[in-house]
Structure formats: structure tokens, C-alpha cells
Amino acid sequence: MKSAGPCFFACFAVSFLIACSYTSVDVERGRELTQQYQCGSCHVIPGVNAANGRVAVTLASFGLRSYIAGHVPSTDENLISWIVDPAAMVPGTLMPSMGVTAGDARLIAAYLRQLH
Amino acid sequence: MTVSPAPGELPSSLPRPAGELEQLERAWRPAAGWRYFSRVNNTQIGLLYVATAMVFFVLAGVLALIMRTQLAVPDNTLVSPQLYNQLFTMHGTVMMFLFAIPVVEAIAVYMLPNMLGARDMPFPRLGAYAYWAYAFGGTAFFITIFFRVAPDGGWFMYPPLTSQYSAGPGADWYLLGIGFIEISAIAGAIELIIGVLFTRAPGMTLGKMPIFAWAMLITALMIIFAFPAVIAGTTLLELERSLDWPFFIAERGGDPILWQHLFWFFGHPEVYIIFLPAAGLVTMMISTLARTPLVGYRAIVLALLATGFFGFAVWAHHMFTAGLGVLETMLVSAASFAVSVPAAIQIFSWLATLWQGRLRITGAALFLLGFLFTFVLGGLTGVMVAVLPFDWQVHDTYFVVAHLHYVLIGGMVFPVFAALYHWSPLVNGHVLSERLARWVFGLMFVGFNVAFFPMHISGVLGMPRRVYTYSAGLGLDGPNMVSTVGAFMLAAGVALFVFDALRTWFRAETENSNPWQASTLEWAGNEEYGVRSIPEIDSRDPLWTRASLVEEIEAGQHWLPGTTSGRRETLMTSPRAARPRHLLILTGDSWWPITAAAGTAGFFLLLTVKMVLPAFVCGVIAMVAIIVWLWETDPTPRTPTVNAADNRPRLRVGGVGVQTHSWWAMVILVIVDATICASFAFAHVHVSLMSDVCPPSGSRLPSLWFDLVSIAGSIVAALAMEAARRWDIGRDSTLSRVGLCAVIAAALLSSLLAFAFNAWGHLDAGLEPKANAWSATIMTLVSFQGLHVIVVALMAAYLVGRLISGRLRPNARATLDNTVLFWQYTAVQGVLTIAAIQMLPRLIG
Amino acid sequence: MLRPATPSAEITLEIAIVLTIGAVAIFVGVMWLLLRALQQRERRPVTAWKWLIGGGVVFPVVVLSALLAYSTARTIQLLPAQDGLVIEVSGVQWWWEVRYRDPATGREVRSANEVRVPAGRPVTLGLTTADVIHSFWIPALGGKMDMIPGRVNQLRVQVTQPGVHRGVCAEFCGDQHAKMALHVVAMVPAQFDAWLAAQAAPASAPSSALAQLGQRVFGEQRCSVCHSVRGIAEALQLGPDLTHVASRLYLGAGELPTRSDNFRHWVANVQHIKPGARMPAYDHLDEQALTALAAFLDGLK
């Protein structure tokens, strides 16, 4: 009885300390932006709420893919350019330009890259 | 066997033999030092359980204080909306699942055996397992808030918000987190039912047992029938989230309302599960503190039964705005009115008892008065929300938040605090400070009303529930600020109590002098072994009707003044008249329960973070621990009878057949199992009725031939196990044992084939659970049956092991009897689910 | 609830008053009994059945039966029989899509966050959801009705007088449940018809140079991908229809009054006003672009 109390509180203290350094800020911002730009209206995207769209390809395991839209090699630069203006990279693509700024696209790309 | 002694002839004679008391103490001595964690005695586990529940109460309360601070002023930005949603979800979930149910179960674990005159709960290791599973699971669940992955869908987690629209792991933590509580609660319920029905003091008929015992018996029965619905619901939600089986997805034939039915069928009885034990405690304290026998014992028992029963009829009053049929809704509204009549009976019984007696104002009494004030007010707002048009306005507003806190804090928290004050001497003989009690009560009572009364007003002014902020200028500023002030007052009262409790209960032990002159057996001795000897009683208030009873008990003049085997023992008595039937040998301290609990916890928690291999290692550890623990059960008695009381006939050691406590535990487990299956079947019926065409287009039923062969297989298995049950296991020949093994093997083969054909039939019909809800519910039923067949296979192997090692005897055959019961249930379940699946589309037409 | 604007809301208020008076009376009575019980100095015998049967059974059964009769009668009166003008309202995380039918052409007219109805006429609201469970609640008009995936729930209202009434979402629906408000505007029937005709028309072209610049910004920033402006640009319709946004009383689902500076504030700072809303913030735009955009939107009357 005497040791149970301190034990519990020790557990909580330790976990609180661990919790402080948990998620990368960029990836989290990227996830929020993905929600705000409603990417999920067309794509299934793991970790993003309301991302159930079946209109376009699923983005699950996007981080493992070598190509964007089957055409463009998946480098960081290409991904950012693609998000900002898809039609410029693949003319005739159905994905609209959503008005994403370069800065926002960088963060979204960071989120998509870590989807495994 | 007669119970009432001839005048003067007590069960055991004096003088007691030398060393008898020491032997008793030795058998019950708790493990010391680091072996602390292997303790199983209800006294230690009970205290740990109460303490853990109170820790969760404080933690969930802190979450509420953060919420109240955020809501103190409009448009506040102290807490982000995402964090606030996690806070209110965790506050509700922790309070309901990690505090409310556990604390009343914990008080029962701690005190109920003593009230009944038993030495311990009937399954000490199961109780220890239930506690540690709760402790590990609850702690892991709570710390998710520090990692910002706590669930954020509200404590009743409506899909599709919590399935397709909650991408993070929060909802999974919820579903697996409360899985532990489900296990804990069911284990607790089994113990309570068996304990109340079978381990009472001789002469303590059902009509003489303490009201708390009735309350816990009815509560345990409610748990048995209510929890399976939420077990089924959470299973379905987790399957939808992880495997995309669309139970609640409308586009594929599912229905979010299905979740609401399953959840609230549990959720409403849940609040009575929380309230009835508290009402039982209140009844006993009022009688003691008013120093008069209870007025209306039978009326209260009937009221408790009526509440327990009718509590299952009104779940849909949580769904009045969902657009269900008007006629059904009106019937539920009328039933919700009716359910308040039993509560009124109890209230008038308490008032009459207070009128008849003279209440002594102790700390506990203050909380009882606070309870009456608060619970009556909450009950009246409950009748108000049972009126449909009124509910259509105030549903999902702060009016309901006010109502639920009035009935839960008033109806359970105040009684629990009263109980902590009242029964404090059982812990270490000391009473809590009466002086501080007035401050604690004052702060808590005034703080509570200041916090929650204004919520009636903000609700009526239009403030919805679960909002992280509100706009200025809507008239909500004042009530919210007042509520916040009240919340901090309430917290101050709790803090003061915690200070006093820690200060008092860590003091050195002293004699428990029964300071309130209570009348029931828990005051007759609270050593590790409970009472020195188990008394024969003949009244509801034994300590009042026989002044010399306590002395007699301590001198060892009643049943079992020592230990006949050197081990822990208690009496098994008959359910109605409590006639002694046999001696129950209880297990001592053991490492297996905590190991199994850690393994179980590890299995579920590691699966949630998708660490599959470590999860399975934990699962294996848990299973090994459980099997070793089981192996020690069902022992062959060393002697067939013992002398448990000099002046009474010798007592048989251990029961046989339907007389064993493990048989009845298995019966209860089978009922729980059947109710889970019925819940899955309800899901299937619900989605079938909702679809235009059944089976839905693209799906079809299995061909009848597969299912007929499967049914035949199940019947053969059931018959084979019946033959096993009737086998003459007294015949000690190798041929006989080989024969029995062959019968068991044949039964197993039949069960496996039965399942294989059923599964083959569905595969042949192209069953795809992701396609639509109809297929998903069928796959669930089939998988549930498959799970049972796996369990049956393990039981068969275990049973053969017992047989071969010579541990299966005519007077130690519980393993066989219990296995047969479960096996036959599995066969019946298989047949009925096949029949239901095949017949339903034909019946719907 | 305290300012009823429909017959059914008035009935509900009456019920609420009756319930409150009854509850207070019973509460006071029981507490008085309790006080009397505590005041006694010496023990008194108690006639058990008077308390248990009289107080515990007869009293509640009588009161509850009366309450049941009264509430059933009033509830039946409250259920409106007439169907009326059909307006579809769909809950979306975290705003309201409102759809009328243009009587002239039969075509659908989309709007958002504000439901206009003709006063004195019956209206049937068809309630659906685009995603999770929401609940439509205008306290002044009556009770709430949930919006459940896979179902169309109906709420019939008849607003007595012209006026504006605020409502909220009453079923927890995610991050911004707290800021999902809406307004019902009841108008004189002739004015309602004129209003509906105006709503059915496409957007008016921008009048000033600033507004024309704003329209260019609207296109460049790809706002039209989510927000339709009929006659100018329509695409995915993921967000509220803005064709006549300036004719509505509030922006952002009841969050800000409609004014040019609030358009600017919303567009630039949406994630500060309503964190988690499914719209990115445009604070990276320069002063001129934001002012022009606000002027354009303010012209969409």
C-alpha cells in the first residue's frame, strides 16, 4: 500500500517527460495543411481525418513510391512543384491546382514522405 | 442440516486448541516485501483497488478543472480545440470506466466478504487478475493524454466520427483501453454473484443479508447482461477501423444507429450499475447512524430488483432526437417515467428510517444528507428530460451535463465519500478527522452546487455540450464563470479529503472499536482472515440482536475457528437458506495473476501500436500463466470430510457437479458469452432489416448442404461430450482413460469439422466482409464461432492433460464438468447462428 | 427555448414551465420531510406502509400518470401535420449546406449557413449529413433533430413572425463543433419569394476596379476549386457556395457579421478564428490582394 502510490506517480512523471519530445513539428503542420486543403476529398490518406476520397489514387505508403502520378520521379522538389501546379508537370491531369503556396507544399510533402 | 443452535450450543466448544489461532494467522499472512505484488487476499486487493480508483478520480477531476478554466470566459484560447476534445473525452471515459464502476466494485471486493461472514472472495486469484488488468490497462490508457493521442470522440464515441473521421490512434486506445475494464468488470461480477449466493455465514438467509449484498448481487447480474453489448459494439468498431468492415458505414449498408443501440443498451444499465451499490451503502449507513433497523427492507430489495430489471428497457431515451419512430419513442418515454418509481420507494424508505430513528451527525452522515439533496434534485431533472418535447430542446446541452452530474456525483460520489468516512476503521482502526470532515463536506457540497446548478441555466439558454468555447453576448458568460469557481471549490474539498485520508490511513494500526455501533458482520473483525470464526446468525442486524456475538466470534466459538488443512478456507453455503454445504479451500498468494494481467495488457497495448511480434509474446506469457494457475485448481481433497465445527456434523471438502463454485462461474461465463453472441446477432438482424434486399446484391447465403453437415457435426460433438460427462472416471484402468481420451478426440474432430464446413460454405458463397454490412456481420458471427472452437481445442488438450496426470477424480471433476458445459454451449451457438443466418432472409421475405 | 417563435416552441416552453414548477414543488416537499425527520428528539414509530406504499408508490404513480397524460397530449399537439416548402439542409464538418429549389426553373439553388423561410407558412426541412452525425437545432423554433448518415430526417417548422433566430449544431462532430452555428431568417412571404428569385440568379459582375482585381485574386488563389460562384466559377463545391455570400447575415457559420473587413479577416486568419477548419489561411497575401478580394466578396449580394 505504501509503495503503490509513489509507483503510480513515478510512472506518470516519466511518461510526461517522454511525451515532451514526441512528434516532428513539420510533419504535424503538413498533416494539418493536408486537412485544410481538403486533399482527402479525392485521396485516401492515412492519418488525415475525413480523407476517404476514392476519386484519385490512395496515398497510403506514399513515402515508398518512386513516382508521382506514375510519371514524375518522386523527389522533394518534384513533389512540391506537383502539389503547387500539377498541370504544369503532367498536362491533362485531373488533379486541380488548389492554390497551395510553396511553403505549405513543402510541409505537405514532408508529411506525405513519411507515410510508410 | 440444522442451523439454529439449541440454546447455548454454539458450533465450536471452548477452550480452543493451542496454536489454532496462530495456524489461522499463518495461513492468511500476506506475502511481504517485494512479494507484495503476489498478494491475492481481498483485503489487500480491495484496498489497492479503492486507492487506484480514487487516483483516477483525482486525475479525471484535474482534466475537468482544465476544461472549466478554458470555459470560464468566452472565446478563451487557453486550450486548443483538439486538446479540449481529448480532455472531455478522457474526463468522461476515465470517470465512467476507470473510476465509477471500479470504485463500487472495489468497495465490494474489500468489504462484501466481511459483511457476509466469508473469509475472502470465492476466486481470489481471479480478483487479483481483474485488479492488475485494470491497473495496467487503465494507466496505459490514461497516459495517452500526455502523448496527445488520447481519443477525442466523446465518451460514447459515435461513428462515423470515430471510425472514418478519426484517423489517429486515439479511438483504438479507447476501444482497447476499455477492453480491460470489460474483462475486469465481468470477472468481478462472477465473483460477486458466486460470493453473495454461496459464501454467506450460516443462517444468513437471502432475507437477512445486508442490503449492500443485494445491491451487489443485482449489480453483478446487470453487468452480466449489459457489458456484452458494449463488448460487441467496441469489437465491431475496432474491426471497422482496422479491417474496413462497414458495420456503421451507411454507403455500404451499415448504420451509425446500430452503434447507438449497442452502446446505450450497455450505457443506461451502466448508470444503475454505478448507482445501485451506492444506494446499498447509503441504506446501511442510514440504518446504522439513525440507530434503528431499516424500514422497508423488502421494499428496498424489490426496488433494487425493479431498477435493475427496468433499467434495461429505457436505453433509447438517449436517442430521442435520432429520428426513430414516434410510437416507440413515446413508449420509451413512459418507461423512463416508470423507472423512477423504485427510486422513490428507496427514498421514502430512507426518510422513514430517519424519521423513526435519530441521525447521529458524523462525517459520513453529512455526505448522506448531501446525497439525498443532490440525488433527489438530479432524479427530478431526470423525469424532466424523460418528457419528449423538453428533451428535444435540452438534449445535448449543458442541462443534461447538469442532470448527469447531479445523479452521478450526488448518487455515487457522495455515498462513496460517506462510505470512506464510515468504514474507515476497517482499514487500520482509525477514524478520519470529524473536524476536517465538515470542511471537506462544506467545500464539496457547496462547490458542487455552485459548479453544476448554473449549467441547468446555460443549457436552457442554448449552450450545447462538448464545446471548447462559446461566444460572448449569448448570456453564457455569467453561468460559466460561476461554474468554474464552484469546480475549484469542489476540488479543494477533495484535496483536503486526500490529505486527511493519507494522514490517517498510513498511521499504525489500532483496534477497531466499532465507533458507530454498527450491526453487521464486517465490524466483527477485519483481520487478514476476516472474522476469527464464521458466525451462525439469525437476524439482519446480528451485532444488535446478540450482544455477545462479537465475543463468541473472537473466541472461536463458531464455524472454522482455525484452518483444517493449514490453507486458506471458507464455507460454501446454500443460496437461499445459507446452510453449510462444504468447505471451500481458497488459494494463497500467487504470482500468476499479476503475470497473466501483465501479459494480457501487453498483448492488447502492443497490438494497438502495431508491434505484432512482441504482442504475441505477451499473449503467450499470459496464456502460460493462466494455464499454470488453472492447473492448481480442482484439486483432489486430501480428506473427504473435515470437522469445521465441533458441535455440528462434519463438512464435506469441496463440492461435486453443480455444487462447485467453478461450475456456477462457468454458467455465468456462458451467459455472458451468449449475450455477446446475441449482440452480434442483433447487429446482423439490424443491418438485414435496413437493407432493401436481403441478402444485398452481390452477396449470397452459403449453400444449405455445408450448413447441414456443420449442424450435424456440432450435434455429434455435443453428444460425445455428454458421453464424456457420464463416463465412469472412478474406474482406474488404462483402457478406461484411453476410451475417454478417444471420446474427447472424437468430439474435437466433430467440432473442427463442423466449423470447417460452415466456413467452407461461406467461402464458397464468396463472403467478402468489406463489401457490405450484412457480410461483415456474418463474418463476425463465423469468426466468433471460430474463436470458440479454438478455445474448445485448448480446453480439450488441457482436459486430456488432467486425465493423463491422474488429476481427474470422481471428487475432483470440475475440469470435466465445466469443459463439457462450455463445449456444449459452443455446439449450440454454432447451430443457432447457422439457423439464424439461413432463416432470416427467408423470414424477411 | 425562452423566446419561442413557433407554435411548437411555445408548447415546449409551457411544458418546461410546468415541469420546473412541479420539480421544485416536489423537491421542496421531500427536503421538508427530510428536515422534519432530522429535527425529532426522540424515536417515533413509523407506519411503514404509509411511507413505502403511500410515498414510494402511490405518490409517484399518481404524479407520473398525470404527467404522462399531460405530456402525451401536448406532444401530439406539437407534431405538425402539414408538409410545406421543402428546404434541404446538410451538415458538413463544420458548416451547413442549404439547398432550395427555384420555383421558376426547378433547379437547385445552393447556399450556406443561413436558412430563409417564409413567415406564417409551413416549412419542411430535409436533414442530411455529408460526413458525420450532426444535429440541427434552432432553440427558438423548437426541438432538435439529428442528421445521420444514410437517413433523411424531417423537421417541420412554421415560424409565426418575421425575425432572425440563431441555432447551433447539437451533436459533437469534431474539432470545430463549437463554432458550427447558423441562422434562420423568417421573411414576409412576398419578400421571401423575391429573395429566392434573386438567389437563383447568377452572381452579379464586380462593379469597381478593386472588386475586379479581387475577382482575379479569387481565380489565381484557386478559391473557386472549393467555393462556387455561379456565373463566374464552379468546380468541386467542397466548401460553402459564395454566389450571394454578401446577402447573408453572417460569415464562417455564424461566426462574424458580414462586412468587408470581416471578409478580409476571415480569409487571412481563418485558422486563428476557427483552428482546424478545412480551409487554409491566406495571410501570405499582400494588403492590396486581401482588400481587393474582400471587396469582390462583399459585392456578391
Side-chain angles (χ1 to χ4, degrees):
Chain A
M1 173 87 165
K2 289 191 199 286
S3 52
C7 267
F8 274 120
F9 290 114
C11 289
F12 290 124
V14 166
S15 36
F16 183 66
L17 290 170
I18 299 173
C20 293
S21 58
Y22 190 63
T23 36
S24 150
V25 177
D26 271 3
V27 165
E28 180 53 29
R29 280 286 298 140
R31 196 186 64 81
E32 285 170 17
L33 287 167
T34 311
Q35 271 172 198
Q36 289 168 27
Y37 280 100
Q38 300 235 25
C39 309
S41 61
C42 292
H43 294 280
V44 166
I45 313 173
V48 172
N49 288 335
N52 307 309
R54 313 271 160 166
V55 177
V57 66
T58 172
L59 301 184
S61 310
F62 184 84
L64 300 174
R65 288 195 211 156
S66 315
Y67 283 94
I68 304 167
H71 277 92
V72 179
S74 179
T75 66
D76 283 340
E77 279 167 32
N78 282 348
L79 185 53
I80 293 170
S81 307
W82 166 261
I83 293 171
V84 170
D85 191 354
M89 304 196 84
V90 180
T93 179
L94 290 170
M95 172 161 155
S97 161
M98 301 295 285
V100 184
T101 62
D104 285 351
R106 188 182 64 78
L107 296 168
I108 293 175
Y111 179 74
L112 294 177
R113 279 239 165 275
Q114 54 89 52
L115 288 176
H116 291 296
Chain B
M1 176 178 304
T2 57
V3 176
S4 13
E9 176 148 82
L10 294 173
S12 302
S13 330
L14 289 179
R16 298 311 310 157
E20 182 184 65
L21 183 56
E22 285 70 30
Q23 215 197 8
L24 181 65
E25 285 172 351
R26 209 173 330 126
W28 286 88
R29 185 165 304 139
W34 60 279
R35 288 201 192 79
Y36 175 93
F37 294 97
S38 68
R39 294 183 179 184
V40 300
N41 187 351
N42 77 300
T43 312
Q44 285 97 43
I45 292 291
L47 277 177
L48 210 49
Y49 212 155
V50 173
T52 310
M54 295 307 291
V55 166
F56 281 120
F57 174 66
V58 169
L59 291 173
V62 168
L63 298 182
L65 288 177
I66 301 174
M67 286 158 59
R68 277 311 329 159
T69 311
Q70 162 70 10
L71 291 177
V73 295
D75 294 310
N76 203 355
T77 52
L78 176 72
V79 155
S80 73
Q82 289 82 4
L83 178 59
Y84 187 89
N85 297 342
Q86 292 188 11
L87 287 174
F88 79 71
T89 303
M90 291 300 280
H91 170 75
T93 309
V94 173
M95 281 296 191
M96 293 300 277
F97 288 109
L98 298 183
F99 165 65
I101 296 185
V103 82
V104 295
E105 279 210 29
I107 292 177
V109 167
Y110 182 64
M111 273 197 330
L112 189 57
N114 300 48
M115 284 184 180
L116 299 174
R119 288 236 157 86
D120 201 337
M121 300 284 269
F123 301 99
R125 287 179 302 180
L126 184 62
Y129 173 78
Y131 167 70
W132 287 110
Y134 153 71
F136 293 144
T139 306
F141 177 68
F142 190 81
I143 65 178
T144 57
I145 189 95
F146 295 119
F147 290 80
R148 301 295 184 96
V149 288
D152 61 357
W155 88 276
F156 34 92
M157 297 286 281
Y158 282 179
L161 175 64
T162 53
S163 56
Q164 297 171 291
Y165 294 86
S166 287
D172 302 308
W173 286 114
Y174 172 98
L175 296 167
L176 290 157
I178 68 168
F180 288 102
I181 311 313
E182 291 160 358
I183 295 175
S184 232
I186 304 250
I190 291 176
E191 286 221 85
L192 288 168
I193 295 173
I194 307 289
V196 168
L197 289 180
F198 292 110
T199 64
R200 303 196 303 274
M204 185 188 281
T205 64
L206 285 177
K208 296 199 177 81
M209 65 183 190
I211 285 287
F212 186 60
W214 274 110
M216 293 316 299
L217 176 64
I218 295 164
T219 300
L221 287 168
M222 293 182 75
I223 291 176
I224 298 303
F225 288 105
F227 266 79
V230 76
I231 292 174
T234 52
T235 306
L236 296 182
L237 188 54
E238 187 54 50
L239 287 172
E240 178 170 302
R241 284 180 58 83
S242 49
L243 299 178
D244 194 30
W245 294 7
F247 303 102
F248 312 115
I249 299 177
E251 294 87 32
R252 281 183 272 162
D255 187 10
I257 296 286
L258 172 62
W259 165 269
Q260 295 188 23
H261 281 306
L262 286 171
F263 185 85
W264 289 116
F265 187 80
F266 152 78
H268 192 80
E270 146 97 335
V271 306
Y272 292 121
I273 288 168
I274 291 170
F275 170 64
L276 289 192
L281 293 169
V282 164
T283 307
M284 293 181 66
M285 285 185 275
I286 284 186
S287 167
T288 300
L289 294 173
R291 291 169 278 179
T292 185
L294 180 65
V295 173
Y297 177 99
R298 271 172 305 190
I300 289 213
V301 172
L302 278 170
L304 292 171
L305 279 166
T307 309
F309 188 71
F310 288 109
F312 279 92
V314 298
W315 81 92
H317 70 210
H318 299 268
M319 299 159 67
F320 276 165
T321 60
L324 305 179
V326 177
L327 181 61
E328 294 91 326
T329 316
M330 284 180 160
L331 285 171
V332 173
S333 170
S336 304
F337 286 5
V339 131
S340 60
V341 174
I345 293 175
Q346 291 191 71
I347 290 169
F348 277 90
S349 166
W350 295 324
L351 289 175
T353 309
L354 288 171
W355 193 281
Q356 178 176 272
R358 236 187 92 200
L359 186 70
R360 175 178 170 177
I361 302 294
T362 63
L366 290 173
F367 277 98
L368 291 174
L369 295 173
F371 155 78
L372 283 168
F373 181 98
T374 315
F375 182 70
V376 170
L377 203 157
L380 289 167
T381 56
V383 174
M384 289 169 77
V385 294
V387 176
L388 284 170
F390 187 74
D391 187 66
W392 288 334
Q393 280 283 8
V394 300
H395 171 70
D396 242 307
T397 69
Y398 263 79
F399 189 93
V400 177
V401 176
H403 161 69
L404 74 91
H405 283 90
Y406 265 84
V407 285
L408 285 173
I409 297 186
M412 187 271 289
V413 174
F414 283 169
V416 164
F417 273 80
L420 292 172
Y421 274 99
H422 189 75
W423 277 286
S424 172
L426 263 59
V427 177
N428 62 356
H430 292 286
V431 296
L432 293 164
S433 159
E434 285 292 300
R435 191 177 55 88
L436 282 180
R438 279 150 172 75
W439 282 96
V440 171
F441 175 72
L443 284 169
M444 284 184 71
F445 181 75
V446 173
F448 168 79
N449 280 289
V450 170
F452 289 97
F453 194 84
M455 293 184 186
H456 294 107
I457 298 170
S458 47
V460 164
L461 289 176
M463 183 172 179
R465 287 174 77 162
R466 302 168 155 189
V467 289
Y468 74 98
T469 190
Y470 51 93
S471 302
L474 295 171
L476 302 175
D477 308 20
N480 272 284
M481 176 56 88
V482 171
S483 285
T484 301
V485 171
F488 277 91
M489 269 181 83
L490 174 56
V494 174
L496 188 56
F497 174 83
V498 170
F499 162 73
D500 189 25
L502 291 174
R503 184 179 75 142
T504 308
W505 290 336
F506 279 107
R507 287 164 69 181
E509 209 166 308
T510 186
E511 171 109 18
N512 170 9
S513 59
N514 192 358
W516 328 120
Q517 283 102 49
S519 66
T520 40
L521 292 178
E522 73 277 14
W523 295 95
N526 193 32
E527 306 296 329
E528 305 299 342
Y529 44 81
V531 283
R532 164 72 199 277
S533 55
I534 299 177
E536 258 171 27
I537 62 141
D538 55 10
S539 96
R540 285 176 191 153
D541 300 298
L543 268 55
W544 285 349
T545 46
R546 292 252 306 275
S548 57
L549 185 61
V550 178
E551 269 175 52
E552 293 165 14
I553 290 174
E554 307 233 296
Q557 291 181 278
H558 284 267
W559 288 81
L560 275 187
T563 162
T564 66
S565 61
R567 301 179 60 192
R568 302 181 179 181
E569 297 164 345
T570 195
L571 290 180
M572 279 285 278
T573 53
S574 64
R576 275 201 323 161
R579 288 187 239 281
R581 275 197 182 156
H582 58 257
L583 186 76
L584 180 61
I585 300 187
L586 298 166
T587 45
D589 298 335
S590 160
W591 284 101
W592 299 115
I594 188 173
T595 310
T600 313
F603 176 71
F604 284 107
L605 299 172
L606 291 168
L607 272 186
T608 315
V609 291
K610 304 203 194 322
M611 294 170 67
V612 179
L613 189 56
F616 272 95
V617 168
C618 284
V620 167
I621 292 176
M623 285 207 25
V624 168
I626 291 173
I627 290 177
V628 175
W629 153 9
L630 271 179
W631 194 260
E632 294 169 15
T633 60
D634 196 17
T636 311
R638 287 188 215 138
T639 57
T641 61
V642 289
N643 171 17
D646 303 325
N647 307 318
R648 299 284 180 269
R650 289 175 74 84
L651 209 52
R652 201 199 172 110
V653 177
V656 185
V658 302
Q659 296 226 341
T660 61
H661 63 314
S662 68
W663 165 264
W664 288 104
M666 183 56 87
V667 168
I668 296 169
L669 197 59
V670 163
I671 294 175
V672 170
D673 209 359
T675 314
I676 298 176
C677 189
S679 305
F680 287 137
F682 168 77
H684 179 66
V685 171
H686 182 90
V687 301
S688 299
L689 291 174
M690 294 233 10
S691 65
D692 301 319
V693 144
C694 182
S697 61
S699 303
R700 59 188 179 92
L701 286 173
S703 146
L704 214 47
W705 288 112
F706 291 106
D707 280 345
L708 287 174
V709 173
S710 177
I711 289 176
S714 288
I715 294 176
V716 167
L719 290 174
M721 286 317 286
E722 186 59 28
R725 192 173 67 81
R726 290 164 195 251
W727 203 266
D728 181 7
I729 52 180
R731 282 232 308 273
D732 210 5
S733 73
T734 317
L735 190 61
S736 171
R737 269 188 253 157
V738 166
L740 183 52
C741 285
V743 170
I744 295 170
L748 182 58
L749 191 59
S750 290
S751 287
L752 288 169
L753 281 175
F755 179 70
F757 271 88
N758 182 222
W760 186 3
H762 284 291
L763 280 174
D764 180 67
L767 184 70
E768 174 45 72
K770 292 191 209 196
N772 50 53
W774 184 86
S775 304
T777 50
I778 289 184
M779 186 61 134
T780 307
L781 286 164
V782 171
S783 308
F784 194 56
Q785 181 66 10
L787 179 65
H788 279 69
V789 172
I790 294 175
V791 171
V792 152
L794 290 169
M795 288 174 106
Y798 180 81
L799 182 59
V800 166
R802 295 291 284 189
L803 174 62
I804 293 175
S805 65
R807 283 181 168 74
L808 199 61
R809 293 277 160 74
N811 57 355
R813 48 174 291 151
T815 311
L816 175 61
D817 294 324
N818 299 351
T819 302
V820 171
L821 175 59
F822 186 80
W823 202 314
Q824 290 177 332
Y825 166 72
T826 301
V828 168
Q829 182 183 270
V831 171
L832 288 179
T833 50
I834 288 174
I837 292 171
Q838 285 285 355
M839 285 187 353
L840 187 62
R842 294 170 167 91
L843 284 172
I844 298 179
Chain C
M1 176 159 80
L2 302 175
R3 281 190 272 270
T6 65
S8 56
E10 278 164 18
I11 294 174
T12 306
L13 180 59
E14 176 201 292
I15 293 174
I17 293 172
V18 167
L19 288 175
T20 307
I21 294 174
V24 169
I26 295 174
F27 180 72
V28 167
V30 174
M31 289 301 110
W32 175 82
L33 267 178
L34 177 60
L35 277 171
R36 292 274 290 129
L38 296 173
Q39 271 167 357
Q40 308 296 343
R41 294 290 151 210
E42 64 296 308
R43 291 173 206 282
R44 297 145 298 176
V46 149
T47 327
W49 71 263
K50 278 193 196 157
W51 288 82
L52 300 170
I53 310 290
V57 179
V58 173
F59 171 66
V61 168
V62 166
V63 169
L64 291 171
S65 303
L67 180 61
L68 185 63
Y70 166 72
S71 66
T72 308
R74 296 307 250 156
T75 306
I76 291 174
Q77 278 182 318
L78 200 145
L79 300 173
Q82 279 181 299
D83 269 328
L85 172 72
V86 174
I87 302 175
E88 289 164 31
V89 183
S90 197
V92 189
Q93 282 176 320
W94 296 283
W95 55 282
W96 309 84
E97 183 178 78
V98 186
R99 297 187 295 276
Y100 306 82
R101 205 146 283 280
D102 176 15
T105 60
R107 271 200 323 203
E108 193 179 76
V109 177
R110 284 178 79 235
S111 178
N113 299 326
E114 190 177 274
V115 182
R116 296 218 177 193
V117 298
R121 300 261 170 85
V123 171
T124 303
L125 298 168
L127 302 172
T128 53
T129 171
D131 41 39
V132 300
I133 300 179
H134 299 275
S135 190
F136 182 88
W137 185 36
I138 318 287
L141 303 191
K144 59 186 59 77
M145 180 63 80
D146 292 348
M147 301 155 122
I148 297 171
R151 290 169 192 242
V152 180
N153 279 339
Q154 289 184 346
L155 195 60
R156 293 178 176 80
V157 293
Q158 182 164 331
V159 188
T160 335
Q161 307 274 13
V164 178
H165 307 284
R166 185 175 185 273
V168 290
C169 174
E171 181 61 60
F172 179 67
C173 53
D175 287 352
Q176 281 298 342
H177 165 66
K179 295 201 174 183
M180 188 171 158
L182 77 160
H183 289 82
V184 168
V185 180
M187 307 170 79
V188 170
Q191 288 175 0
F192 172 80
D193 294 333
W195 171 86
L196 187 54
Q199 291 284 310
S204 31
S207 46
S208 66
L210 192 59
Q212 280 168 4
L213 175 60
Q215 181 178 333
R216 265 217 317 280
V217 174
F218 190 82
E220 279 162 17
Q221 294 302 317
R222 316 290 293 146
C223 308
S224 55
V225 178
C226 291
H227 294 288
S228 305
V229 179
R230 269 178 285 119
I232 292 177
E234 288 178 67
L236 296 175
Q237 299 186 348
L238 298 172
D241 187 292
L242 298 181
T243 311
H244 298 287
V245 61
S247 72
R248 304 202 273 266
L249 296 172
Y250 286 88
L251 300 179
E255 188 62 21
L256 300 165
T258 304
R259 283 196 315 256
S260 178
D261 57 338
N262 278 337
F263 275 119
R264 191 185 182 294
H265 182 40
W266 176 264
V267 169
N269 303 314
V270 57
Q271 287 299 324
H272 287 286
I273 302 168
K274 203 165 162 176
R278 305 245 170 85
M279 170 172 159
Y282 287 87
D283 45 5
H284 58 271
L285 293 180
D286 61 42
E287 279 299 320
Q288 192 197 28
L290 284 169
T291 319
L293 193 53
F296 166 67
L297 293 169
D298 205 29
L300 295 173
K301 294 209 197 297

